[in-house]
Amino acid sequence: MTGFRYPVSYRVSSRQEETHDTVTITLEPAGEPIAAFRPGQFTMLYSFGVGEIPISVSGPPGVPTLTHTIRAVGAVSAALCAAQPGQVIGVRGPFGTSWDHAEAAANRDLLLVAGGIGLAPLRPALLEALAQPGRYRRIIMLAGARSAAELVFAAEYGRWRERGAEVAITVDKADASWPGQVGVVTQLIGRAHLDPARTTALICGPEVMMRITARTLTAAGLPPASIWISLERNMQCGTAECGHCQLGPLLLCRDGPVVNFGLAEPLLTVREL
Amino acid sequence: MTVLTGNGGAAGNGGAAGNGGAGVAGQRRRFELPAAGLEDLHRALVSAGYQVIGPRVTGDAITLGELTSASELPFGWGVSLSPGGYRLRKRDDAAAFGHSAGPGSWKQFLHPPREQLWSATRGTDGLAVGPGAVQEPRKLAFLGVRPCDLRAIQVLDRVLRGAAGRDCAYSRRRAAVFIIVVNCTEPGETCFCASMATGPESGPGYDLLMTELTAGPDHSFVIEAGSPGGQEILTRLPVRPADPGVTERADTAVAGAADRMGRSMQTDGLPGMLAASRHAQRWEDVASRCLTCGNCTMACPTCFCTTVEDVTDLSGEHAERWQNWSSCFELDFSYLHGGPVRSSGVSRYRQWLTHKLGTWHDQFGSSGCVGCGRCIVWCPVGIDLTEEVAALWAERNAAGGPTAGSEGPERGERG
């Protein structure tokens, strides 16, 4: 399978700065492409000579290009963030589980809850849902960030609303220029007037944010089986062979990153598991 | 007693080596090979194109390496084993395989400590990535594989040949290996293969199976084929059909070994017990002794974890990726932007033990432990896996039952 063991060449076709440390790059195949991805899956992106890291796909499915949103936190991510149009990036994948469990949620309410750059892996699911009017009764996007300057895809929220999504944004800290909500993202849940029996929730953000959000949702009556989260660990192979991404019984590159909360909760409550 | 039904589990996953010892359904064709015939076996393997790898005395240990002659086998040598202890000892007889596991395992040949994954050059049209300097695998004959170590190879097969049976360097190396198992007739002080159902009698997956006989009038081997390739080699050996008395002596010696295991482990319900014991006090106790050196993971015949290393040449136009053995005891093993997930020794020992004996079942459908005892022997402070498991059982039973959760409902547990 192309792009499974050896990186294949993609070329940066556009680069968009999201925040002071986060960049969205779009890649087009420079040769044979990797297999089609599903929302929630990730690829291994290779910066020539620097290294390779797992990054979730943040662009829409069903197109030949691959879009990734990357925060510069280490040598490889910084090199990828600095990649300019025309530069070649190595890509392996796609790997892992997807948000496709939401497929079963047709005619239900689709709730997406994002913390910070956790919005990136949720964006393909949102774009796919918006492209299928009438498939869901409601599409609700609740997103939070530490500050207004750290919101990603901020220019798109208006378009998402126009296309039928209910979008609520909050920031942890704000100055007087911020007109919107201030507080953590869980505070938006009560105002969303959820119907717990017909809501499917997809959550991505820092682990503590996902745990608290999921618990808030279960307290509101959502069964854990209706809640899906996207987990992160050190990943090096993507093919369940290097052993780094273990979380208890899970190999997150294979059994994740998207995991049902019912399975994940007891694992997330153990320190340093 | 039949080899074919002796062991379940990972057996039957052995690929090239076929599946068991029966030439005709239910009927074993067993022969007797005089000890001098080991040289004929070596010669037959070499003429079939194999490099023969087996045990020999190097320094103060029995290690695995190339045998240029069967005479290099450790005739007359045994070992004395203890937690953190390994000593060669002279035997009363001339047994070639009268020793249990040494510091090396077959893993070092199938899953080498350092391996190039690919090399790449940067051109105007993109990256040209290829397998680099990877060579066709050598044909290796593993002579003297213990039943526990055959199972260890099959455990590695499940992990590294992958769910999709993908073409990879491990698969190519594995397909070029010829396996000669020698049943265990003398387990060591730290052995517990009987608890793990991996020995002392071999399960299927070998090309040839031998049982060494030293107690009778002659030093000889009972030998049988387990694959067409094994059958082919067998026809070149100076064998004669084994008398019932001889095979009975061999079977008795192997069966008796099961009663002489130096260690044992309660495996029934073990994965579930471990999943319910994530907060056990015993982890603190063992972590206070553990040096987090990773020796157990290096000596273990199934520990497979690796880390990759990306390198470039000075021009910056040529890059390579190398894969090195890694250990869950390393701090960087669980590094995630900002720091390690498992920073304490407690969490790293717990990860190793619960993965090996518990969550391996969830991930790969079998235990990761074959009961060879290497981790006990090669631990510099003598931590005994079987003793730790017994203590965890005791703590769990005192807490109200094998899987009674102390932290709410546990999922993903088995057993």
Side-chain angles (χ1 to χ4, degrees):
Chain A
M1 195 194 300
T2 302
F4 200 74
R5 291 203 177 275
Y6 303 132
V8 299
S9 297
Y10 274 68
R11 204 175 285 281
V12 178
S13 60
S14 70
R15 178 178 185 275
Q16 167 80 39
E17 292 190 2
E18 298 283 346
T19 73
H20 70 100
D21 63 359
T22 302
V23 169
T24 295
I25 55 174
T26 300
L27 304 171
E28 56 187 23
E32 202 178 336
I34 63 168
F37 80 98
R38 292 294 306 147
Q41 287 192 295
F42 69 95
T43 67
M44 299 296 295
L45 294 187
Y46 172 60
S47 177
F48 186 84
V50 183
E52 189 186 56
I53 51 172
I55 301 285
S56 292
V57 183
S58 64
V63 296
T65 55
L66 280 175
T67 297
H68 294 84
T69 301
I70 306 158
R71 192 163 144 238
V73 293
V76 183
S77 54
L80 291 168
C81 282
Q84 296 299 316
Q87 187 169 329
V88 171
I89 301 288
V91 180
R92 292 193 300 127
F95 297 121
T97 55
S98 70
W99 298 116
D100 278 355
H101 320 288
E103 289 286 339
N107 205 30
R108 286 168 59 91
D109 299 345
L110 183 65
L111 170 68
L112 311 167
V113 189
I117 198 174
L119 184 51
L122 289 168
R123 184 168 171 261
L126 174 69
L127 295 176
E128 188 169 71
L130 291 174
Q132 303 173 68
R135 178 175 176 83
Y136 300 102
R137 198 178 64 153
R138 296 172 69 190
I139 301 171
I140 309 152
M141 165 62 80
L142 309 178
R146 271 179 289 186
S147 68
E150 307 217 25
L151 289 167
V152 291
F153 307 111
E156 299 185 18
Y157 305 154
R159 233 178 307 154
W160 295 347
R161 288 191 183 99
E162 285 164 18
R163 296 175 67 187
E166 303 165 47
V167 181
I169 308 292
T170 184
V171 297
D172 296 351
K173 284 183 186 148
D175 60 23
S177 68
W178 172 250
Q181 297 281 344
V182 177
V184 294
V185 73
T186 46
Q187 293 172 355
L188 300 175
I189 290 172
R191 297 183 202 131
H193 303 291
L194 301 177
D195 180 347
R198 53 189 304 174
T199 299
T200 296
L202 316 182
I203 312 172
C204 188
E207 210 164 287
V208 61
M209 167 267 173
M210 292 194 286
R211 209 166 63 227
I212 293 168
T213 301
R215 283 186 176 164
T216 306
L217 290 173
T218 54
L222 259 77
S226 298
I227 303 171
W228 301 85
I229 64 177
S230 179
L231 290 164
E232 188 180 19
R233 284 294 181 272
N234 186 310
M235 290 181 187
Q236 303 200 3
C237 68
T239 54
E241 290 165 317
C242 78
H244 286 264
C245 67
Q246 292 180 63
L247 175 66
L250 307 177
L251 284 160
L252 285 177
C253 77
R254 179 189 76 182
D255 307 320
V258 176
V259 177
N260 186 263
F261 184 62
L263 175 64
E265 187 184 20
L267 305 174
L268 297 180
T269 55
V270 183
R271 270 175 58 91
E272 298 192 25
L273 188 67
Chain B
M1 184 170 69
T2 136
V3 161
L4 288 176
T5 55
N7 287 293
N13 198 28
N19 66 347
V24 182
Q27 193 183 337
R28 296 169 70 178
R29 300 187 59 208
R30 305 167 80 187
F31 300 88
E32 189 174 4
L33 176 75
L38 286 174
E39 206 60 76
D40 299 276
L41 173 60
H42 185 277
R43 216 174 295 125
L45 292 168
V46 169
S47 68
Y50 290 102
Q51 183 179 5
V52 181
I53 308 291
R56 76 271 201 258
V57 175
T58 49
D60 294 325
I62 294 172
T63 61
L64 301 174
E66 183 174 6
L67 302 175
T68 57
S69 154
S71 66
E72 292 170 23
L73 287 165
F75 290 100
W77 286 103
V79 292
S80 297
L81 306 175
S82 62
Y86 179 99
R87 289 289 180 273
L88 287 182
R89 64 174 169 81
K90 270 291 186 188
R91 293 176 56 88
D92 298 333
D93 59 27
F97 303 99
H99 56 90
S100 40
S105 76
W106 308 97
K107 170 174 88 169
Q108 69 199 69
F109 303 100
L110 288 166
H111 183 46
R114 181 167 167 79
E115 179 181 13
Q116 186 178 349
L117 294 183
W118 48 255
S119 73
T121 50
R122 180 160 52 181
T124 47
D125 296 333
L127 310 177
V129 184
V134 176
Q135 294 157 358
E136 273 305 295
R138 291 176 303 174
K139 286 176 74 177
L140 299 181
F142 292 170
L143 173 57
V145 177
R146 307 332 294 246
C148 58
D149 279 352
L150 174 63
R151 180 64 68 85
I153 291 170
Q154 293 165 336
V155 169
L156 279 183
D157 287 348
R158 286 198 164 204
V159 176
L160 297 176
R161 283 213 282 220
R166 297 176 293 253
D167 179 48
C168 62
Y170 177 90
S171 299
R172 288 192 293 273
R173 278 190 296 267
R174 178 70 173 88
V177 167
F178 186 95
I179 294 179
I180 303 129
V181 170
V182 180
N183 275 326
C184 189
T185 48
E186 192 168 308
E189 298 87 337
T190 54
C191 288
F192 55 105
C193 71
S195 297
M196 307 313 291
T198 64
E201 184 191 18
S202 182
Y206 49 80
D207 294 290
L208 286 172
L209 174 65
M210 305 200 296
T211 305
E212 187 166 25
L213 291 170
T214 54
D218 303 308
H219 183 187
S220 67
F221 292 85
V222 170
I223 184 168
E224 64 193 287
S227 72
Q231 190 65 48
E232 168 64 24
I233 295 291
L234 192 55
T235 60
R236 301 193 217 171
L237 304 182
V239 295
R240 61 168 182 265
D243 294 335
V246 170
T247 56
E248 192 184 324
R249 269 206 293 136
D251 294 343
T252 304
V254 176
D259 301 326
R260 299 200 307 278
M261 295 285 144
R263 294 287 189 279
S264 66
M265 185 183 288
Q266 183 185 339
T267 56
D268 195 26
L270 182 56
M273 183 278 276
L274 291 172
S277 298
R278 293 183 181 120
H279 295 288
Q281 286 297 312
R282 185 68 184 187
W283 302 122
E284 303 278 348
D285 183 292
V286 65
S288 71
R289 289 171 277 135
C290 175
L291 308 178
T292 65
C293 70
N295 250 20
C296 48
T297 60
M298 300 293 109
C300 177
T302 69
C303 269
F304 61 87
C305 289
T306 51
T307 290
V308 295
E309 179 188 3
D310 285 293
V311 297
T312 54
D313 66 2
L314 284 175
S315 76
E317 297 306 310
H318 176 81
E320 295 177 354
R321 176 164 300 162
W322 288 79
Q323 175 180 276
N324 302 310
W325 280 2
S326 176
S327 170
C328 53
F329 284 96
E330 296 163 9
L331 262 182
D332 273 359
F333 186 84
S334 62
Y335 184 88
L336 196 61
H337 48 79
V341 171
R342 291 187 282 273
S343 57
S344 68
V346 172
S347 67
R348 281 176 276 154
Y349 189 89
R350 181 181 64 192
Q351 166 63 26
W352 181 71
L353 188 143
T354 55
H355 183 222
K356 186 65 56 186
L357 296 167
T359 55
W360 204 296
H361 288 271
D362 301 276
Q363 295 169 3
F364 303 110
S366 75
S367 175
C369 178
V370 298
C372 71
R374 285 183 179 88
C375 60
I376 304 172
V377 170
W378 299 98
C379 174
V381 295
I383 292 172
D384 182 339
L385 180 76
T386 63
E387 188 185 321
E388 298 312 317
V389 169
L392 287 162
W393 270 117
E395 185 175 342
R396 175 58 24 197
N397 289 335
T403 57
S406 57
E407 66 253 20
E410 288 285 346
R411 289 162 211 265
E413 71 187 27
R414 302 164 64 100

